[in-house]
Each structure stands twice: as structure tokens, then as C-alpha cells.
């Protein structure tokens, strides 16, 4: 008994054997087939292999039964979901299934993997990390970029743009060989033209310049200050409060209309009289009453298409020049005589067209060719002296006290001259101007307005124009889109009129000199 193995004894005498196994074991045994203990012989029949102790599984414990049931239920649920998904996919087209695989990936076997991909990687950030470490960690946690599925070869080819077909592109060509430019080169060329026109990169176009809140507040206050200039304490004595009402009256030349182009219109400095002159060789004077505007007189100049006509400062004379002549006509209104000035001694100009009259009536300024400005005596019409600027003279004007001359050149520069010494006091570049077209000064001696070819009117302070080499405009008016050919201030320096001869009805009135803001109510 001591020689029998312990495992065998434990197996044979195991009290925990299930009852069905016991019954099956007893039923299989037949009478008289009990093995002989001494010889170890077994009855005839199929041999039964005895499992080793290592291969035998211990019976499951009662606590493992609920876990096994839960696993079986989860497996059954997954199998049912898989079967339902397959049933639904059979009804969907192949294109939709392919698109889903490209977007969500192949997650047929594990839907939890899809949820993990949609959630993205979890980033565990420590509270003591600074901003740079957070940015680096965020960059490291980004998923790698996927390579494109395919690449279009035509995208790599540079698309060429025709330069000759567009008149704006044609103007920015540097030579005739640039018939075609790539988009990148064209964009770079346009950027260079813009910076050249603006005199550099504007502040609003600088992306790397960040403004603080204090800078923004100061700029807002400055913009509010620049919207009204002049005397900030007193109010306007000429302009009424509220809305400026305007209405169209009878045409000034209603009694003598003309089909030719009108080149000059001016009010008399001391009477209700308006002068109208044009290319029809006639100068007409009308009495202004707003109703009939009767004609006073018409002066006809044979073969003399009028380029410009102006009253003298005292209103006793009318000065007239032509488009293709060097003769200057002077009409004496008191005597009723027309006096031609055929030749001015020392004036070597083939054409006399543009001129300006000094506000005090003592000087006459003639714009010559090749950048010359000729100063004449208004009384004797004799040459006093000449001044020279770089380039051509685009426009000129006197200051309100007739002591200074402002001249705008074709290069976008403005020159300031002293009348008595005929010396250049200062020269500066009109901001954003390629070439100037017009210039005007206010009667109160405070402002200078410069009109350029791009439709911008810059308003400067006269003191800064004399003292500073690079003055900044206190106001830029951008209401016109074509070249500003005419500029003038009203007698009280409260309204600036800007006009362009290159577009119909291109006239703007700028009211900015007092705290009250005005609007124009046009009544027909």
C-alpha cells in the first residue's frame, strides 16, 4: 500500500469527483472484470490512456464561472455586430466602402481602434512646463504627414502671364524682352511698383510689426485730431452748423453756351461776376444772380484757342494764354482794351501756357519748359528772374503772402522757393506720388495740398514743408481714382475742392478743418 503513487491514491479517492463521472465509471465496469491487484492485468477491451499529472486540468473554481459567462456574452455580442455590419455593407456601393477605408482606415476587426484614432493621441502636459516646452511637445505629438497619393506634373510648371495684352501690365515692363512673366515674378514686380509708389512699405502692410494697446489708443487719438485742423477752440464763422445744403442753379453761361471744351472758370475777386473761357477762342463775362445769369461781355481772340485765363488780384485785368502761342493777352476791363504781349525781354520760351498770379498782385509766374520758372512783374510784364528745378514743372502756386513759391515736378518732388532771393528753401518728396499734377495753398497760410497722378491728395502743414526734409502729410484724401488735375481752397480755408479732368463728374469737396462733420445734401 505504501508503494502505490500518491497521485493515484488521490485520484481514486477524490471525494470531489462529479456524480455523473462516478456513475459512468461504475456503469462501464462489468462483473468479474476487476483488475488483479497482484498482477496488474486488465480485462480485454480498448486500452485507455492515462493522462499525466501535468496534462490534467484542475477543476474550475466556483468564482471563475461569472467571468467565463461575461467573456462568452461579449464574444457573442461582437459576433452579432460583425454580422450586422456585413449585412449593411452588402447594400452599400463599392465606392462608398472604398472612401470609408481611405478616411477611417481598415478597422473591420476592431471598432475600438477607430475610436482611438478619432480621439487622437493623449498629451500629458506637466504644469511646470513653460511655453516653449509646450510648443515642442505639441509638435512632437503631431501625427506624421502622409505623402500625397499622386502628383500632377503640370502643377510644377510655372504658368506664364502675357504682359502685352494688358495695358497695366505693359506699363511695368522694364524692357521689350519681358513679353511673358511667371506669376511669382509678376507678383514681385507689382509689389515693387506699389512700394515705389508709396515711398516704402506702409505701416499697415508690415506683418512683423505688432502694436500695443497704448499705441493703438494714441493712433486713434491722432487720427481723430487729424480729421479736424485749424483753430480747435473757436467755431466756424462762415459754415453753418449741421448739413450744408447745395442745389443746382442756372448755368453760368446759359446765355452763351458753347460746344467747345471749357478750359478756365473763375469768379471775380470783388464782384458777382464769373469768367468762362475755352477752346472756342472766346472769353465771356457773366453777371451771377443764380436765375438768369445775364452776359456782360464776350472777347473773341482770332486763332487763339485759350489754354488759361485768370483775373488779376485787383480784378481790373484778365490774362489769357493759348495752347500753341507764346503771346500773352492782357484785357483791361476798365479801359476796354486788349493788349498783346508778344515778347518778354529775356524770356526764351517758344510757348507760354501755364501761369500763376500772386495774391498781392505784384508778380506773375510763368511755367516754362525744362524745369524753368520765370518770375515777371505784374505791372510792367518784365522778367525779374528765373528758377530751375529737376525735371519738368507740373504745377506751381504762390503762398498766401506772395513770399514763397511752391512748385511740383514731374518726378513727384515739391520745391519751395523764396521770391525775393529766388533761392530754394527746401525740397521734399510728395508721399506716394509718382509725378505731380496740381498744387494749392490755403489763404490762411497753414496748408499745402498736392495732387498726384494716382488720385491721392496729400495735405501738408506749410511750416513742415519749409523746415523738414521729409514732411509727413497731416491728411491724405483718396476719394478720386484718376489724376487730380485741379485743387483749390475756399476763401476761409475750410473747404478743399479736388477735381480730375480725366473722368466725368470727378469733383470732391473735402471739409475737415473744424470739429463738426458736415455732409453734402445735393438738391436738384
Amino acid at each position: 500500500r505504501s508503494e502505490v503513487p500518491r497521485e493515484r491514491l488521490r485520484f481514486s479517492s477524490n471525494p470531489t469527483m462529479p456524480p455523473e463521472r462516478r456513475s459512468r465509471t461504475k456503469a462501464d465496469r462489468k462483473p468479474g472484470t476487476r483488475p488483479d491487484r497482484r498482477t496488474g492485468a486488465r480485462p480485454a477491451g480498448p486500452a485507455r490512456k492515462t493522462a499525466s499529472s501535468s496534462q490534467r486540468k484542475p477543476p474550475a473554481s466556483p468564482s471563475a464561472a461569472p467571468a467565463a459567462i461575461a467573456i462568452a456574452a461579449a464574444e457573442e455580442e461582437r459576433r452579432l455586430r460583425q454580422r450586422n455590419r456585413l449585412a449593411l455593407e452588402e447594400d452599400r456601393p463599392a465606392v462608398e466602402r472604398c472612401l470609408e477605408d481611405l478616411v477611417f482606415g481598415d478597422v473591420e476587426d476592431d471598432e475600438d481602434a477607430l475610436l482611438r484614432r478619432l480621439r487622437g493621441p493623449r498629451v500629458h502636459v506637466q504644469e511646470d512646463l513653460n511655453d516653449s516646452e509646450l510648443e515642442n511637445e505639441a509638435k512632437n505629438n503631431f501625427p506624421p504627414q502622409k505623402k500625397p497619393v499622386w502628383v500632377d506634373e503640370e502643377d510644377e510648371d510655372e504658368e506664364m502671364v502675357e504682359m502685352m495684352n494688358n495695358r497695366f501690365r505693359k506699363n511695368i515692363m522694364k524692357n521689350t524682352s519681358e513679353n511673358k512673366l511667371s506669376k511669382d515674378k509678376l507678383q514681385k514686380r507689382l509689389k515693387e511698383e506699389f512700394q515705389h509708389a508709396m515711398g516704402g512699405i506702409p505701416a499697415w502692410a508690415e506683418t512683423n510689426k505688432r502694436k500695443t494697446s497704448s499705441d493703438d489708443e494714441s493712433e486713434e487719438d491722432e487720427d481723430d485730431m487729424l480729421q479736424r485742423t485749424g483753430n480747435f477752440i473757436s467755431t466756424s464763422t462762415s459754415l453753418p452748423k449741421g448739413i450744408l445744403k447745395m442745389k443746382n442753379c442756372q448755368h453760368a453761361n446759359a446765355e452763351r453756351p458753347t460746344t467747345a471744351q471749357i478750359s478756365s472758370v473763375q469768379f471775380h475777386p470783388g464782384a458777382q461776376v464769373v469768367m468762362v473761357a475755352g477752346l472756342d477762342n472766346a472769353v465771356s463775362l457773366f453777371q451771377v444772380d443764380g436765375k438768369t445769369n445775364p452776359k456782360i461781355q464776350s472777347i473773341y481772340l482770332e486763332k487763339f484757342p485759350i489754354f488759361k485765363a485768370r483775373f488779376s488780384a485787383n480784378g481790373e485785368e484778365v490774362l489769357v494764354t493759348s495752347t500753341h502761342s507764346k503771346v500773352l493777352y492782357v484785357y483791361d476791363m476798365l479801359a476796354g482794351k486788349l493788349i498783346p504781349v508778344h515778347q518778354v525781354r529775356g524770356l526764351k520760351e517758344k510757348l507760354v501756357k501755364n501761369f500763376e498770379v500772386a495774391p498781392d498782385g505784384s508778380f506773375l509766374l510763368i511755367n516754362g519748359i525744362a524745369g524753368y520758372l520765370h518770375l515777371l512783374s505784374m505791372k510792367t510784364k518784365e522778367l525779374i528772374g528765373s528758377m530751375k528745378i529737376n525735371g519738368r514743372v507740373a504745377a506751381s502756386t504762390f503762398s498766401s503772402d506772395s513770399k514763397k513759391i511752391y512748385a511740383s515736378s514731374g518726378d513727384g518732388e515739391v520745391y519751395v522757393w523764396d521770391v525775393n532771393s529766388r533761392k530754394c528753401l527746401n525740397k521734399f518728396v510728395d508721399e506716394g506720388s509718382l509725378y505731380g499734377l496740381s498744387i494749392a495753398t490755403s489763404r490762411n497760410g497753414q496748408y499745402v495740398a498736392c495732387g498726384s497722378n494716382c488720385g491721392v491728395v496729400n495735405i501738408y502743414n506749410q511750416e513742415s514743408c519749409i523746415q523738414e526734409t521729409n514732411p509727413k502729410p497731416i491728411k491724405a484724401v483718396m476719394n478720386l481714382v484718376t489724376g487730380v488735375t485741379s485743387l483749390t481752397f475756399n476763401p476761409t480755408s475750410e473747404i478743399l475742392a479736388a477735381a480730375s479732368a480725366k473722368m466725368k463728374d470727378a469733383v470732391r469737396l473735402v471739409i475737415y478743418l473744424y470739429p463738426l462733420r458736415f455732409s453734402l445734401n445735393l438738391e436738384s
Side-chain angles (χ1 to χ4, degrees):
R1 188 176 178 86
S2 61
E3 295 177 359
V4 179
R6 178 169 302 200
E7 290 124 355
R8 188 172 180 182
L9 288 175
R10 187 177 61 186
F11 177 78
S12 60
S13 61
N14 187 5
T16 63
M17 181 179 295
E20 58 274 9
R21 185 174 179 183
R22 294 178 187 174
S23 62
R24 185 175 67 250
T25 305
K26 292 180 181 179
D28 292 342
R29 294 179 184 173
K30 297 181 182 179
T33 61
R34 185 164 184 165
D36 193 0
R37 292 179 180 270
R38 291 174 295 180
T39 60
R42 290 183 177 273
R48 189 170 66 182
K49 186 182 294 185
T50 304
S52 62
S53 60
S54 61
Q55 293 177 352
R56 293 171 186 168
K57 295 181 180 179
S61 61
S63 61
I69 294 173
I71 294 174
E75 185 69 21
E76 183 67 19
E77 184 180 358
R78 190 188 68 80
R79 187 168 61 252
L80 290 175
R81 285 203 311 265
Q82 183 74 7
R83 186 175 63 184
N84 293 336
R85 191 177 65 81
L86 293 175
L88 292 174
E89 286 186 353
E90 292 178 357
D91 299 336
R92 292 189 304 169
V95 177
E96 186 177 348
R97 292 197 299 269
C98 181
L99 180 60
E100 183 178 347
D101 293 340
L102 289 175
V103 175
F104 299 105
D106 189 9
V107 291
E108 293 182 358
D109 298 335
D110 189 4
E111 293 185 358
D112 295 336
L114 175 60
L115 295 176
R116 288 193 297 270
R117 287 184 59 188
L118 294 177
R119 291 193 192 101
R122 295 182 179 179
V123 181
H124 300 283
V125 182
Q126 299 179 1
E127 295 182 356
D128 57 348
L129 293 178
N130 53 20
D131 294 340
S132 61
E133 293 177 353
L134 288 175
E135 293 179 358
N136 296 332
E137 188 170 355
K139 292 179 181 179
N140 296 331
N141 291 326
F142 283 162
Q145 296 182 355
K146 295 183 178 180
K147 295 182 179 180
V149 180
W150 61 282
V151 179
D152 192 355
E153 297 179 355
E154 295 182 356
D155 292 343
E156 299 179 358
D157 299 337
E158 291 185 351
E159 184 177 354
M160 307 302 290
V161 180
E162 292 285 345
M163 301 295 292
M164 300 294 295
N165 297 339
N166 190 292
R167 62 187 182 93
F168 297 105
R169 300 191 196 125
K170 187 177 180 180
N171 293 335
I172 63 175
M173 292 174 56
K174 294 184 178 180
N175 50 56
T176 56
S177 62
E178 294 182 340
N179 294 331
K180 293 183 179 181
L181 286 180
S182 62
K183 285 187 174 181
D184 295 337
K185 292 183 178 179
L186 179 59
Q187 184 179 6
K188 185 177 179 181
R189 184 69 56 79
L190 293 174
K191 186 181 295 185
E192 292 176 354
E193 290 292 329
F194 175 77
Q195 293 179 3
H196 178 69
M198 298 299 294
I201 302 177
W204 55 265
E206 295 180 358
T207 56
N208 57 351
K209 184 178 180 181
R210 297 182 178 179
K211 298 180 180 179
T212 60
S213 58
S214 60
D215 294 339
D216 295 337
E217 293 176 359
S218 63
E219 286 188 1
E220 290 178 0
D221 297 337
E222 184 179 359
D223 292 339
D224 190 22
M225 180 74 70
L226 295 181
Q227 288 180 357
R228 52 187 193 273
T229 53
N231 193 344
F232 292 96
I233 300 177
S234 63
T235 57
S236 174
T237 57
S238 344
L239 295 179
K241 295 182 179 180
I243 298 176
L244 295 182
K245 295 183 179 181
M246 303 178 65
K247 65 178 182 179
N248 292 330
C249 299
Q250 179 70 11
H251 297 318
N253 61 341
E255 290 195 359
R256 190 189 179 278
T258 177
T259 57
Q261 178 181 346
I262 296 176
S263 57
S264 296
V265 177
Q266 187 185 14
F267 283 99
H268 192 275
Q272 289 289 100
V273 177
V274 65
M275 176 183 60
V276 179
L279 299 182
D280 58 350
N281 307 339
V283 179
S284 301
L285 302 177
F286 300 91
Q287 181 73 35
V288 179
D289 59 3
K291 296 180 181 180
T292 59
N293 301 328
K295 186 183 73 170
I296 300 175
Q297 187 180 9
S298 290
I299 306 164
Y300 184 77
L301 305 175
E302 186 177 359
K303 296 181 181 180
F304 200 84
I306 298 173
F307 178 82
K308 191 171 184 177
R310 286 291 182 270
F311 285 108
S312 61
N314 55 12
E316 297 179 358
E317 295 178 341
V318 177
L319 287 79
V320 184
T321 58
S322 176
T323 57
H324 57 272
S325 176
K326 64 178 181 179
V327 179
L328 172 67
Y329 277 99
V330 180
Y331 178 70
D332 190 346
M333 298 180 64
L334 299 179
K337 293 182 180 180
L338 185 64
I339 305 172
V341 181
H342 293 280
Q343 183 67 37
V344 177
R345 183 179 299 177
L347 183 63
K348 299 179 181 179
E349 295 287 345
K350 295 181 179 180
L351 292 177
V352 177
K353 295 172 61 176
N354 203 353
F355 65 93
E356 296 294 334
V357 179
D360 61 356
S362 56
F363 301 106
L364 176 67
L365 183 67
I366 296 178
N367 298 345
I369 61 173
Y372 279 97
L373 294 166
H374 305 287
L375 189 65
L376 281 69
S377 172
M378 190 66 185
K379 185 176 182 180
T380 61
K381 307 300 185 296
E382 293 181 354
L383 180 65
I384 298 175
S386 299
M387 296 157 282
K388 176 73 169 61
I389 69 172
N390 297 330
R392 66 178 183 85
V393 180
S396 61
T397 186
F398 283 92
S399 61
S400 58
D401 56 1
S402 302
K403 294 182 179 180
K404 298 178 183 61
I405 295 175
Y406 293 85
S408 178
S409 71
D411 299 332
E413 295 179 332
V414 178
Y415 293 78
V416 184
W417 297 85
D418 181 69
V419 174
N420 295 328
S421 62
R422 291 179 294 283
K423 293 182 179 180
C424 183
L425 302 178
N426 194 13
K427 180 183 72 172
F428 64 92
V429 177
D430 185 17
E431 188 174 277
S433 174
L434 294 179
Y435 57 90
L437 291 179
S438 56
I439 191 169
T441 57
S442 62
R443 292 193 180 183
N444 62 358
Q446 191 173 1
Y447 308 108
V448 177
C450 301
S452 64
N453 65 312
C454 56
V456 179
V457 179
N458 290 326
I459 303 174
Y460 298 89
N461 192 306
Q462 287 194 20
E463 294 182 359
S464 63
C465 293
I466 299 174
Q467 299 175 1
E468 300 179 10
T469 58
N470 188 20
K472 297 296 181 181
I474 60 176
K475 189 70 176 178
V477 182
M478 302 183 183
N479 296 83
L480 295 174
V481 295
T482 54
V484 183
T485 55
S486 299
L487 283 174
T488 185
F489 286 89
N490 75 322
T492 59
S493 304
E494 295 173 309
I495 301 177
L496 172 65
S500 175
K502 298 181 180 180
M503 183 177 292
K504 185 179 180 181
D505 299 333
V507 180
R508 300 293 183 270
L509 298 181
V510 184
I511 306 172
Y512 66 98
L513 303 182
Y514 284 89
L516 295 178
R517 295 183 180 180
F518 300 96
S519 61
L520 299 179
N521 182 14
L522 297 179
E523 298 180 359
S524 58

